[in-house]
Amino acid sequence: MSSAALMNNYGTPPATFVRGSGAELWDDRGRRCLDFLCGLAVTGLGHAHPAVTDAVAAQAETLIHTSNLFANELTAEVVETLDRLIRSGPGGDAEPGRILFQNSGAEAVEAALKLARKHQGRGRHGVVSAYGSFHGRTLAALAATGQPSKHEPFQPMPEGFRHVPFDDIDALVAALDPSVGAVLLESVQGEGGVVPASDEYLQAVRQLCDERGLLLLMDEIQTGLGRTGAWFGFQHAEVQPDIVTMAKALGNGVPVGAVWARPEVAAAFAPGDHGSTFAGQPLALAAARAVLTEMQAIDAPATAARLGAFLTDRLLQIDGVGSVRGRGLLLAVELSDEARAGRSAAAIAAACLEQGLVVNGVTPTALRLAPPFVVSEEQLTEGCSILAGVLEHD
Ligand SMILES: *Cc1c(COP(=O)(O)O)cnc(C)c1O
């Protein structure tokens, strides 16, 4: 399946998918699978979505790349749409912000961290983030990631990062000193096990940041663009961050990330401060434009809220499902010890794949489910029966 010449960075893959359509994938053995993972919350509009496919194909025939030395016809529409959606929640800013494109999540986090440092100035470069968080694999994003085991092989980490327990405002207050200039949080910790922040916590963090002159950075790379039942996860708490990172769903699989910032914060970046050869190229923005148009047409947040409630209800009827947590179509299923019978959630996910359902083990005891917005209730029900069958065995 994969080559011996490939670095062994991801372990042995359990399947080779060769084709997809909507919420379905087919592997090289002709097996059909329901995709309840979306390539890690990326393909929200499903596979081979005609609007995205057509936009990418047409752009590839026209112009793929010119670099940021030149303007791009698509930029204005994409940044205006993103800015409008980011400020669309109750409590959203009246004043438009500004966007910087990147190619991935980690790069968006790096750009956000550099922007925060430049804005806050020397001596206030410290960033507090949460244990259990995930912000990417590049060195600064990794340092911000609150998982010490992921730091260990790569020590020393870049300086200036500290971590506090998630959803605990007292711990955050206690971690502040004059060197801290920013707080970086996810509205739902995705890789950390699909753990939502409470609305009260995010409101208290916003207030604390206002009082202390700290920037609030929200990492919406996994949660952004409808998945939690709001355009952005922080909108549930009716707060507006100073900086927002996004990526995964933005290109429906075409790599594109972005950073949004309030205008006064965004103004800290001057020409030469940051850059990326590919970022915001015509091909990526053609995908992003098609994704944003289609997500608004289907009202992605309302769709995620409705289908997420349906799925949660079905999951809770399964023997062996202890509890379901998360928001919208970003869910974790906590499996009972009895149903796991000594198996890890990863082993259960592998058994689901054998039966035609793609999910992943997000903690040793929980599965993550992130189906696309285009999934049908019939497909959600079918996926639940596959899971029920896997949990029944032994
Ligand atoms: C996936 C993820 C990242 C990293 O994105 P990459 O594109 O893999 O670099 C960062 N933050 C969050 C919250 C994520 O879910």
Side-chain angles (χ1 to χ4, degrees), residues 40-42 103-109 133-138 141 145 185-191 219-223 245 247-248 256-257 368:
L40 300 167
V42 168
N103 308 293
S104 68
E107 282 176 273
V109 170
S133 64
F134 183 80
H135 299 294
R137 301 290 195 155
T138 56
T145 293
L185 294 169
E186 294 158 275
S187 53
V188 180
Q189 288 190 335
E191 302 305 306
D219 183 347
E220 292 278 338
I221 287 165
Q222 186 154 163
T223 44
T245 55
K248 288 191 164 92
V256 50
R368 170 173 39 188

Side-chain angles (χ1 to χ4, degrees), residues 9 131-139 141-158 163 190-193 361-364 368:
N9 184 54
Y131 284 115
S133 64
F134 183 80
H135 299 294
R137 301 290 195 155
T138 56
L139 277 171
L142 181 63
T145 293
Q147 300 186 46
S149 64
K150 288 188 164 60
H151 296 169
E152 245 356 89
F154 306 104
Q155 293 287 8
M157 287 288 107
H163 304 95
E191 302 305 306
V362 71
T363 70
R368 170 173 39 188

Side-chain angles (χ1 to χ4, degrees), residues 73-88:
E73 280 191 326
L74 299 158
T75 307
E77 185 182 340
V78 178
V79 298
E80 276 154 30
T81 305
L82 274 177
D83 173 59
R84 175 167 50 74
L85 297 177
I86 286 171
R87 294 182 298 110
S88 67

Side-chain angles (χ1 to χ4, degrees), residues 55-235:
V56 170
Q59 194 61 47
E61 283 180 345
T62 308
L63 185 67
I64 290 179
H65 176 87
T66 59
S67 88
N68 287 300
L69 296 176
F70 305 99
N72 169 351
E73 280 191 326
L74 299 158
T75 307
E77 185 182 340
V78 178
V79 298
E80 276 154 30
T81 305
L82 274 177
D83 173 59
R84 175 167 50 74
L85 297 177
I86 286 171
R87 294 182 298 110
S88 67
D93 280 0
E95 207 187 345
R98 291 183 162 224
I99 304 263
L100 179 72
F101 289 108
Q102 296 289 287
N103 308 293
S104 68
E107 282 176 273
V109 170
E110 293 285 329
L113 292 170
K114 281 179 72 178
L115 181 62
R117 277 196 180 200
K118 181 113 192 279
H119 180 272
Q120 298 298 63
R122 282 207 180 185
R124 296 201 75 199
H125 63 285
V127 174
V128 184
S129 52
Y131 284 115
S133 64
F134 183 80
H135 299 294
R137 301 290 195 155
T138 56
L139 277 171
L142 181 63
T145 293
Q147 300 186 46
S149 64
K150 288 188 164 60
H151 296 169
E152 245 356 89
F154 306 104
Q155 293 287 8
M157 287 288 107
E159 197 266 326
F161 294 89
R162 61 185 75 171
H163 304 95
V164 292
F166 189 51
D167 216 23
D168 179 341
I169 190 68
D170 296 334
L172 178 57
V173 173
L176 299 180
D177 68 25
S179 74
V180 173
V183 176
L184 170 62
L185 294 169
E186 294 158 275
S187 53
V188 180
Q189 288 190 335
E191 302 305 306
V194 189
V195 183
S198 67
D199 293 348
E200 301 71 46
Y201 176 64
L202 293 182
Q203 286 155 8
V205 175
R206 176 68 274 179
Q207 197 187 337
L208 180 68
C209 289
D210 288 342
E211 287 164 7
R212 309 281 182 102
L214 307 173
L215 296 178
L216 174 56
L217 282 61
M218 292 298 304
D219 183 347
E220 292 278 338
I221 287 165
Q222 186 154 163
T223 44
L225 298 162
R227 184 151 287 282
T228 67
W231 281 109
F232 291 88
F234 55 79
Q235 292 170 342

Side-chain angles (χ1 to χ4, degrees), residues 328-342:
L329 276 180
L330 182 59
L331 299 174
V333 175
E334 198 63 46
L335 304 166
S336 72
D337 291 348
E338 206 174 52
R340 283 194 301 109

